[in-house]
Amino acid sequence: MNTKKLLRPLLLILTLTFISCSNSEIKVESPDGNYTLVFNLNEKSEAIYHVDYKGTGIIEASKLGLGIDGLPTEGLKATLVETKMHNAIWKPPYGTKTEYPEKYSEALVKITTDSGEPLYNLRFRAYDEGIALRYEFPENKEKVTIEKELTEFSVKQGAIAYTTRVSQGVIEKTPVDEIKESMERPLLINLSDSLYVAIGEAAQINYSRMKLNSYGSHTLQADIEGEVTFDHPFVSPWRFVMAGKTAGEILENNYLVLNLNEPNKIADTSWMKPGKVIRDLTLTTEGGKAYIDFAVKHNIQYVIESAGWYGNEFTKEADASTVTVDPERSTGPLDMPEVIRYGKEQGVDIMVYVNRNQLEKQLDDILPLYRSWGIKGIKYGFVRTGDQYWTNWMHEAVRKAADHEMVLSIHDDYRPVGYSRTYPNLMTMEGIRGDEESPSNEQTLMTMFTRMIAGAGDNTVCYFAPRVTEKMGSHASQLAKTVCLYSPLLWLYWYDRPETATLDSGGAGGAKSIIKEVPELEFFDNVPTVWDDIKVLHSEVGELGTIARKSKNDWFIGTINGQSAKDVSLPLDFLDDDTAYIATVYFDDPSVDTETKVGIERLEVNSTSSIQRKIAGNNGMAIHITYKTDAK
């Protein structure tokens, strides 16, 4: 049956064909018609698929399958057993948009041996934002071990990928056919001057993490980090492919990763508060209060008592149920109940950091304890990820934190897989070459369009630390990062402390840089951490990036520039028509008589305006646009 003519007005095209020979195929087309996934069996009766985007092949003929002992990969039979159309809108408790569309066409294909013995199912989805596929074992009751995954993503010869072996590593441009090690996902690939593709995974909840390796060919293979074992009905993570004429188009559509996860399972989300966070480097009672006072003055919602508050985090002996300050970090004393009480009085919540050494042995004890103390959130540090066991442990730890009404940041090697849709208490995570690694503007511009496709990234923004101008571009670039790098829990002043905080201890890394009350701090004060809309205005990977985000009636814009000076034009056609606005522009200016050398200019603009600036190499710009009637 061909429903193409009947369902074209509904923007759904599914060619429904039972596969019984090598020239039969199943075609799944996205509701908007931009993506087409075609599945068939080749001459060896192996499972094969390819993907087109706007009529251009982006994934060439590629194999599917799983490396399971005794499971054949040839001589297969495929039967289309189910099709579905889905068209919905869902509203997150917070996000990059007020609401997300969720529109896709779906086909479920049963894979059997030629004699009809069931092996597994393949589920294909074509969204307006990309395509996705996964493996399913709907009736399994025996122990099954997936030794490796055989999923391929074949791209054209000469394609260039943006690669890194580890989540906090340097990102490099690498021809796909020169990749000979497993690379992090999502993997951004430049197919041509006007076509980019991203390959990644979503809903990797109880499965080994996927990386990608071409082994010197133009066909990328899904490398999973360790065997996957199950003895019950089971589904793999989704493997997705997204495309766009620019990397910015892909980033605007990255809510696909959320869409590929289950809906929110937390009935009451009223206790979840996104916001800005500052780290107490003193680990003292008076220092904590000084940070709280600074947070009140500068519209920061959280203070976190960071590593060292309960002892040396890297020892098994440290006890995260006690306040026992590490003498290598601070001279103390730290009266945690008093800091929490003072914060509550001032309207500032307290978070704490806990290393995996303590999480793994104390999690079930410390979660109710911290809740009784009045702590509102935790940063999980140095977590183990990658294989199936620790992946499952990590997501169980997210669920347990939700049970105790704790918001979370997961640090170090964990990258988002969209689980924040299902458990939105998981607000942010590292898995990023952030400011702790002193990335150049060029590296940040690669991060914006690679890692950030996966979701929120805790970049730990610095401002007054010497490394900013020495290694990381400019201060205006740092302002811009708060817009360009989405994080519902946004860490600011990572290595900095208020002038009123004591200096008798160095805290993390011996950091003692002081926050100066320079005028542009008003941008940090005003910038939100969650948004109603996003527009990517420039997306030259590694060269220039501009992102505009809306919050209520205001727009915030961040521009980060790479190594070469550029004349930058920012059309403001996304503003409301026939409305007057004031744009406050923050830019690098060596003539300004402050330590940070940031100039401020206020302009009257409207939807026909365009802001023009020459931005020097390794500089940036930040803009806050308000209704003229709201401007001070």
Coordinates of all heavy atoms in Angstrom, one line a residue, residues 14 26-28 37-39 47 49 51 64-66 78-86 104-111 119-127 130-139 149 151 153 202-203 233-241 259-262:
L14 N 5.2 7.6 4.0 CA 5.8 6.4 4.3 C 5.5 5.4 3.2 O 4.4 5.2 2.8 CB 5.1 5.8 5.6 CG 5.6 6.3 7.0 CD1 4.7 5.8 8.0 CD2 7.0 5.9 7.2
I26 N 12.1 0.0 2.6 CA 11.2 0.8 3.4 C 11.8 2.2 3.4 O 12.9 2.4 3.7 CB 11.2 0.2 4.9 CG1 10.5 -1.2 4.8 CG2 10.4 1.1 5.8 CD1 10.6 -1.9 6.2
K27 N 10.9 3.1 3.2 CA 11.3 4.5 3.1 C 10.5 5.3 4.2 O 9.3 5.2 4.2 CB 11.0 5.1 1.7 CG 11.4 6.5 1.6 CD 11.0 7.1 0.2 CE 11.8 6.4 -0.9 NZ 11.5 7.0 -2.3
V28 N 11.2 6.0 5.0 CA 10.6 6.8 6.0 C 11.0 8.3 5.8 O 12.2 8.6 5.7 CB 11.1 6.4 7.4 CG1 10.3 7.2 8.5 CG2 10.9 4.9 7.6
L37 N 15.0 8.4 5.1 CA 15.8 7.2 5.4 C 15.2 6.1 4.6 O 14.0 5.8 4.6 CB 15.7 7.0 6.9 CG 16.5 5.8 7.5 CD1 17.0 6.0 8.9 CD2 15.7 4.4 7.4
V38 N 16.1 5.4 4.0 CA 15.7 4.2 3.2 C 16.4 3.0 3.7 O 17.7 3.0 3.9 CB 16.1 4.4 1.7 CG1 15.7 3.1 0.9 CG2 15.4 5.6 1.1
F39 N 15.7 1.9 4.0 CA 16.2 0.7 4.6 C 15.9 -0.4 3.6 O 14.8 -0.5 3.0 CB 15.6 0.4 5.9 CG 15.9 -1.0 6.4 CD1 17.1 -1.2 7.1 CD2 15.0 -2.1 6.2 CE1 17.4 -2.5 7.6 CE2 15.3 -3.3 6.7 CZ 16.5 -3.6 7.4
A47 N 21.5 -6.0 6.6 CA 20.7 -4.8 6.8 C 21.5 -3.6 6.4 O 22.6 -3.4 6.9 CB 20.3 -4.7 8.3
Y49 N 21.1 0.8 5.2 CA 20.3 2.0 5.2 C 21.1 3.1 4.6 O 22.3 3.1 4.5 CB 19.8 2.4 6.6 CG 20.8 3.1 7.4 CD1 20.7 4.5 7.6 CD2 21.9 2.4 8.0 CE1 21.7 5.2 8.3 CE2 22.8 3.1 8.7 CZ 22.7 4.5 8.9 OH 23.7 5.2 9.6
V51 N 20.6 7.7 4.0 CA 19.9 8.9 4.4 C 20.1 10.1 3.4 O 21.3 10.3 3.0 CB 20.3 9.4 5.8 CG1 19.4 10.6 6.2 CG2 20.1 8.3 6.8
L64 N 23.9 -2.1 9.3 CA 23.3 -2.1 10.6 C 23.5 -3.5 11.2 O 23.5 -4.5 10.4 CB 21.8 -1.8 10.6 CG 21.4 -0.4 10.1 CD1 19.9 -0.2 9.9 CD2 21.9 0.7 11.1
G65 N 23.5 -3.6 12.5 CA 23.6 -4.9 13.1 C 24.3 -4.9 14.4 O 24.8 -3.8 14.9
L66 N 24.3 -6.0 15.1 CA 24.9 -6.1 16.5 C 25.8 -7.3 16.5 O 25.5 -8.4 15.9 CB 23.8 -6.2 17.5 CG 22.8 -5.1 17.6 CD1 21.6 -5.4 18.5 CD2 23.6 -3.9 18.2
A78 N 13.5 -9.2 6.6 CA 13.0 -8.0 7.3 C 11.5 -7.8 6.9 O 11.1 -7.9 5.8 CB 13.8 -6.7 6.9
T79 N 10.7 -7.5 7.9 CA 9.3 -7.3 7.8 C 8.8 -6.0 8.4 O 9.1 -5.8 9.6 CB 8.5 -8.5 8.4 OG1 9.0 -9.7 7.8 CG2 7.0 -8.4 8.1
L80 N 8.2 -5.2 7.7 CA 7.6 -4.0 8.3 C 6.4 -4.4 9.1 O 5.4 -4.9 8.5 CB 7.2 -3.0 7.2 CG 6.6 -1.7 7.6 CD1 7.6 -0.9 8.4 CD2 6.1 -0.9 6.4
V81 N 6.4 -4.1 10.4 CA 5.3 -4.5 11.2 C 4.5 -3.4 11.8 O 3.4 -3.6 12.3 CB 5.8 -5.4 12.4 CG1 6.4 -6.7 11.9 CG2 6.8 -4.6 13.3
E82 N 5.0 -2.2 11.7 CA 4.2 -1.1 12.3 C 4.7 0.3 11.7 O 5.9 0.4 11.5 CB 4.4 -1.1 13.8 CG 3.7 0.0 14.6 CD 4.0 -0.1 16.1 OE1 3.7 -1.1 16.7 OE2 4.5 0.9 16.7
T83 N 3.8 1.2 11.5 CA 4.1 2.5 11.2 C 3.3 3.5 12.0 O 2.3 3.2 12.6 CB 3.8 2.8 9.7 OG1 2.4 2.7 9.5 CG2 4.5 1.9 8.7
K84 N 3.9 4.7 12.2 CA 3.2 5.7 13.1 C 3.6 7.1 12.6 O 4.7 7.3 12.2 CB 3.6 5.4 14.5 CG 2.9 6.3 15.5 CD 3.2 5.9 17.0 CE 4.6 6.3 17.4 NZ 4.8 6.1 18.9
M85 N 2.7 8.0 12.9 CA 2.9 9.4 12.7 C 2.7 10.1 14.1 O 1.7 9.8 14.8 CB 2.0 10.0 11.7 CG 2.2 11.5 11.6 SD 1.0 12.2 10.4 CE 1.3 14.0 10.6
H86 N 3.6 11.0 14.5 CA 3.5 11.6 15.7 C 3.6 13.1 15.5 O 4.5 13.6 14.8 CB 4.6 11.2 16.7 CG 4.5 11.8 18.1 ND1 3.7 11.3 19.0 CD2 5.2 12.8 18.6 CE1 3.9 12.0 20.1 NE2 4.8 12.9 19.9
Y104 N 7.4 13.4 14.0 CA 8.2 12.4 13.2 C 7.3 11.4 12.6 O 6.1 11.2 12.9 CB 9.1 11.7 14.2 CG 8.5 10.9 15.4 CD1 8.0 9.7 15.2 CD2 8.5 11.5 16.6 CE1 7.5 9.0 16.3 CE2 8.0 10.8 17.7 CZ 7.5 9.5 17.5 OH 6.9 8.9 18.6
S105 N 7.9 10.7 11.6 CA 7.3 9.5 11.0 C 8.1 8.3 11.5 O 9.3 8.4 11.7 CB 7.3 9.6 9.5 OG 6.8 10.8 9.0
E106 N 7.5 7.2 11.7 CA 8.2 6.0 12.3 C 7.8 4.7 11.6 O 6.7 4.5 11.2 CB 7.8 5.9 13.8 CG 8.5 4.8 14.5 CD 8.1 4.7 16.0 OE1 8.7 5.4 16.8 OE2 7.1 4.0 16.3
A107 N 8.8 3.9 11.5 CA 8.6 2.5 11.0 C 9.3 1.5 11.9 O 10.5 1.7 12.3 CB 9.1 2.4 9.6
L108 N 8.6 0.5 12.3 CA 9.2 -0.6 13.1 C 9.4 -1.8 12.2 O 8.4 -2.3 11.5 CB 8.3 -1.0 14.2 CG 8.8 -2.1 15.2 CD1 10.1 -1.6 15.9 CD2 7.8 -2.4 16.2
V109 N 10.6 -2.3 12.1 CA 11.0 -3.4 11.2 C 11.5 -4.6 12.0 O 12.3 -4.5 12.9 CB 12.1 -3.0 10.2 CG1 12.5 -4.2 9.3 CG2 11.6 -1.8 9.4
K110 N 10.9 -5.8 11.8 CA 11.3 -7.0 12.5 C 12.3 -7.7 11.7 O 12.1 -8.0 10.5 CB 10.0 -7.9 12.7 CG 10.3 -9.2 13.5 CD 9.0 -9.9 13.7 CE 9.2 -11.1 14.6 NZ 8.0 -11.9 14.9
I111 N 13.5 -8.0 12.3 CA 14.6 -8.7 11.6 C 14.6 -10.1 12.1 O 14.6 -10.4 13.4 CB 15.9 -8.0 12.0 CG1 15.9 -6.5 11.6 CG2 17.1 -8.7 11.3 CD1 15.7 -6.3 10.1
L119 N 15.2 -12.1 15.6 CA 16.5 -11.7 16.1 C 16.4 -10.4 16.9 O 16.8 -10.4 18.1 CB 17.5 -11.5 14.9 CG 17.7 -12.7 14.0 CD1 18.6 -12.4 12.8 CD2 18.4 -13.8 14.9
Y120 N 15.9 -9.4 16.3 CA 15.7 -8.1 17.0 C 14.8 -7.2 16.1 O 14.6 -7.6 14.9 CB 17.0 -7.4 17.3 CG 17.9 -7.1 16.1 CD1 17.7 -6.1 15.2 CD2 18.9 -8.0 15.8 CE1 18.5 -5.9 14.1 CE2 19.8 -7.9 14.7 CZ 19.5 -6.8 13.8 OH 20.3 -6.6 12.7
N121 N 14.4 -6.1 16.6 CA 13.6 -5.1 15.8 C 14.5 -3.9 15.6 O 15.4 -3.6 16.4 CB 12.3 -4.7 16.5 CG 11.3 -5.8 16.6 OD1 11.4 -6.8 15.9 ND2 10.3 -5.6 17.4
L122 N 14.2 -3.2 14.5 CA 14.8 -1.9 14.2 C 13.7 -0.9 14.1 O 12.7 -1.1 13.4 CB 15.5 -1.9 12.8 CG 16.9 -2.5 12.8 CD1 17.4 -2.8 11.3 CD2 17.9 -1.6 13.5
R123 N 13.9 0.2 14.9 CA 12.9 1.3 14.9 C 13.6 2.5 14.2 O 14.6 2.9 14.7 CB 12.4 1.6 16.3 CG 11.2 2.6 16.3 CD 10.7 2.8 17.7 NE 10.2 1.6 18.4 CZ 9.0 1.1 18.3 NH1 8.1 1.8 17.5 NH2 8.6 0.0 18.9
F124 N 12.9 3.0 13.2 CA 13.4 4.2 12.5 C 12.5 5.3 12.7 O 11.2 5.2 12.6 CB 13.5 3.9 11.0 CG 14.4 2.7 10.6 CD1 13.9 1.5 10.2 CD2 15.8 2.9 10.6 CE1 14.7 0.4 9.9 CE2 16.6 1.9 10.3 CZ 16.1 0.6 9.9
R125 N 13.0 6.5 12.9 CA 12.2 7.7 13.0 C 12.9 8.8 12.1 O 14.1 9.0 12.1 CB 12.2 8.2 14.4 CG 11.2 7.4 15.3 CD 11.1 8.1 16.7 NE 10.3 7.3 17.6 CZ 10.2 7.5 18.9 NH1 10.8 8.5 19.4 NH2 9.4 6.7 19.6
A126 N 12.0 9.5 11.4 CA 12.4 10.7 10.6 C 11.7 11.9 11.2 O 10.5 12.1 11.1 CB 12.1 10.5 9.2
Y127 N 12.5 12.7 11.9 CA 12.0 14.0 12.5 C 12.2 15.1 11.5 O 13.0 15.0 10.6 CB 12.7 14.3 13.8 CG 12.4 13.4 15.0 CD1 13.0 12.2 15.1 CD2 11.6 13.9 16.0 CE1 12.7 11.4 16.2 CE2 11.4 13.1 17.1 CZ 11.9 11.8 17.2 OH 11.7 11.1 18.3
G130 N 16.0 15.7 12.1 CA 17.0 14.6 11.8 C 16.4 13.3 11.8 O 15.1 13.1 12.0
I131 N 17.2 12.3 11.6 CA 16.7 10.9 11.6 C 17.3 10.1 12.8 O 18.4 10.5 13.3 CB 17.0 10.1 10.3 CG1 18.5 9.9 10.1 CG2 16.4 10.9 9.1 CD1 19.0 8.6 10.5
A132 N 16.7 9.1 13.2 CA 17.2 8.3 14.4 C 16.8 6.8 14.2 O 15.8 6.5 13.5 CB 16.6 8.8 15.7
L133 N 17.6 5.9 14.8 CA 17.3 4.5 14.7 C 17.9 3.9 16.0 O 18.8 4.4 16.6 CB 18.0 3.9 13.5 CG 19.5 4.0 13.3 CD1 20.2 2.8 13.9 CD2 19.9 4.1 11.9
R134 N 17.2 2.8 16.3 CA 17.7 2.0 17.5 C 17.3 0.5 17.3 O 16.5 0.2 16.5 CB 17.1 2.5 18.8 CG 15.7 2.2 19.1 CD 15.2 2.8 20.4 NE 13.9 2.4 20.7 CZ 13.2 2.9 21.7 NH1 13.7 3.8 22.5 NH2 11.9 2.5 21.9
Y135 N 18.0 -0.3 18.1 CA 17.7 -1.8 18.2 C 16.8 -2.1 19.4 O 17.0 -1.5 20.4 CB 19.0 -2.5 18.3 CG 20.0 -2.2 17.1 CD1 20.9 -1.2 17.3 CD2 20.0 -2.9 16.0 CE1 21.8 -0.8 16.3 CE2 20.9 -2.7 15.0 CZ 21.8 -1.6 15.1 OH 22.7 -1.3 14.1
E136 N 15.9 -3.1 19.2 CA 15.0 -3.4 20.2 C 14.9 -4.9 20.4 O 14.8 -5.6 19.4 CB 13.6 -2.8 20.0 CG 13.6 -1.3 19.9 CD 12.2 -0.7 19.7 OE1 11.3 -1.5 19.5 OE2 12.1 0.5 19.6
F137 N 14.8 -5.4 21.6 CA 14.6 -6.8 21.9 C 13.3 -6.8 22.8 O 13.3 -6.9 24.0 CB 15.8 -7.3 22.7 CG 17.0 -7.4 21.9 CD1 17.8 -6.3 21.7 CD2 17.5 -8.6 21.3 CE1 19.0 -6.3 21.0 CE2 18.6 -8.6 20.6 CZ 19.4 -7.5 20.4
P138 N 12.1 -6.8 22.1 CA 10.9 -6.6 22.9 C 10.4 -7.8 23.7 O 9.7 -7.6 24.7 CB 9.8 -6.3 21.8 CG 10.4 -7.0 20.6 CD 11.9 -6.9 20.7
E139 N 10.9 -9.0 23.4 CA 10.4 -10.2 24.2 C 11.5 -11.0 24.8 O 11.3 -12.1 25.2 CB 9.6 -11.1 23.2 CG 8.3 -10.4 22.7 CD 7.6 -11.2 21.6 OE1 8.0 -12.4 21.4 OE2 6.6 -10.8 21.1
E149 N 28.9 -3.1 18.4 CA 27.9 -2.7 17.6 C 28.4 -2.6 16.1 O 29.5 -2.1 15.9 CB 27.3 -1.3 18.0 CG 25.9 -1.1 17.5 CD 25.3 0.2 18.2 OE1 25.3 0.2 19.4 OE2 24.9 1.1 17.4
T151 N 26.8 -0.8 13.7 CA 26.2 0.3 13.0 C 27.2 1.2 12.3 O 28.3 1.5 12.9 CB 25.4 1.2 14.0 OG1 24.6 0.4 14.9 CG2 24.6 2.3 13.4
F153 N 28.0 4.6 9.6 CA 27.6 5.9 9.0 C 28.6 6.3 7.9 O 29.7 6.8 8.2 CB 27.6 7.0 10.1 CG 26.8 6.7 11.3 CD1 27.4 6.0 12.4 CD2 25.5 7.0 11.4 CE1 26.7 5.7 13.5 CE2 24.8 6.7 12.6 CZ 25.4 6.0 13.6
A202 N 21.5 9.4 21.7 CA 20.6 9.9 22.7 C 20.0 8.7 23.5 O 19.9 7.6 23.0 CB 19.4 10.7 22.0
A203 N 19.5 9.0 24.7 CA 18.9 8.0 25.6 C 19.9 6.9 25.8 O 19.4 5.7 25.9 CB 17.6 7.5 25.0
P233 N 13.4 -7.6 28.3 CA 13.2 -6.7 27.1 C 14.1 -5.5 27.2 O 14.3 -4.9 28.3 CB 11.7 -6.4 27.2 CG 11.1 -7.6 27.9 CD 12.2 -8.0 28.9
F234 N 14.6 -5.1 26.0 CA 15.7 -4.1 26.1 C 15.7 -3.3 24.8 O 15.3 -3.8 23.7 CB 17.0 -4.9 26.2 CG 18.2 -4.0 26.5 CD1 18.5 -3.6 27.8 CD2 19.1 -3.6 25.5 CE1 19.6 -2.8 28.1 CE2 20.2 -2.8 25.8 CZ 20.5 -2.4 27.1
V235 N 16.1 -2.0 24.9 CA 16.3 -1.2 23.7 C 17.6 -0.5 23.8 O 18.1 -0.2 24.9 CB 15.2 -0.1 23.6 CG1 13.8 -0.7 23.4 CG2 15.2 0.9 24.8
S236 N 18.3 -0.3 22.7 CA 19.5 0.4 22.6 C 19.3 1.9 22.7 O 18.2 2.4 22.5 CB 20.3 0.0 21.3 OG 19.8 0.7 20.2
P237 N 20.4 2.7 22.9 CA 20.2 4.1 22.7 C 19.9 4.4 21.2 O 20.0 3.6 20.3 CB 21.6 4.7 23.0 CG 22.3 3.6 23.8 CD 21.7 2.3 23.3
W238 N 19.4 5.6 21.0 CA 19.1 6.1 19.6 C 20.5 6.5 19.0 O 21.3 7.2 19.7 CB 18.2 7.2 19.6 CG 16.8 6.9 20.0 CD1 16.2 7.0 21.2 CD2 15.7 6.4 19.1 NE1 14.9 6.6 21.1 CE2 14.6 6.2 19.9 CE3 15.7 6.0 17.8 CZ2 13.4 5.7 19.3 CZ3 14.5 5.5 17.2 CH2 13.4 5.4 18.0
R239 N 20.7 6.2 17.7 CA 21.7 6.8 16.9 C 21.1 7.8 16.0 O 20.1 7.5 15.3 CB 22.4 5.8 16.1 CG 23.5 4.9 16.9 CD 22.9 4.1 18.0 NE 23.9 3.4 18.8 CZ 24.4 3.7 19.9 NH1 24.0 4.9 20.5 NH2 25.3 3.0 20.5
F240 N 21.5 9.1 16.0 CA 20.9 10.1 15.2 C 21.8 10.7 14.2 O 23.0 10.8 14.4 CB 20.2 11.2 16.1 CG 21.2 12.1 16.9 CD1 21.8 13.1 16.3 CD2 21.4 11.9 18.2 CE1 22.7 14.0 17.0 CE2 22.3 12.7 18.9 CZ 22.9 13.7 18.3
V241 N 21.2 11.3 13.2 CA 21.9 12.0 12.2 C 21.1 13.3 11.9 O 19.9 13.3 11.7 CB 22.1 11.2 10.8 CG1 22.8 12.1 9.8 CG2 22.8 9.9 11.1
N259 N 14.0 15.1 22.5 CA 12.8 14.4 21.9 C 13.0 12.9 21.9 O 12.0 12.1 21.9 CB 12.5 14.9 20.5 CG 11.8 16.3 20.5 OD1 11.3 16.7 21.6 ND2 11.8 16.9 19.4
L260 N 14.3 12.4 21.8 CA 14.5 11.0 21.7 C 14.6 10.3 23.1 O 14.9 9.2 23.2 CB 15.8 10.8 21.0 CG 15.8 11.1 19.5 CD1 17.2 11.1 18.9 CD2 14.9 10.0 18.8
N261 N 14.2 11.1 24.1 CA 14.1 10.5 25.5 C 12.7 10.5 26.0 O 11.8 11.2 25.4 CB 15.0 11.4 26.4 CG 16.5 11.1 26.3 OD1 17.0 10.3 27.1 ND2 17.1 11.6 25.3
E262 N 12.4 9.8 27.0 CA 11.1 9.7 27.6 C 10.7 11.0 28.2 O 11.5 11.8 28.7 CB 11.0 8.5 28.6 CG 11.2 7.1 28.0 CD 11.1 6.1 29.1 OE1 10.6 6.4 30.2 OE2 11.6 4.9 28.8

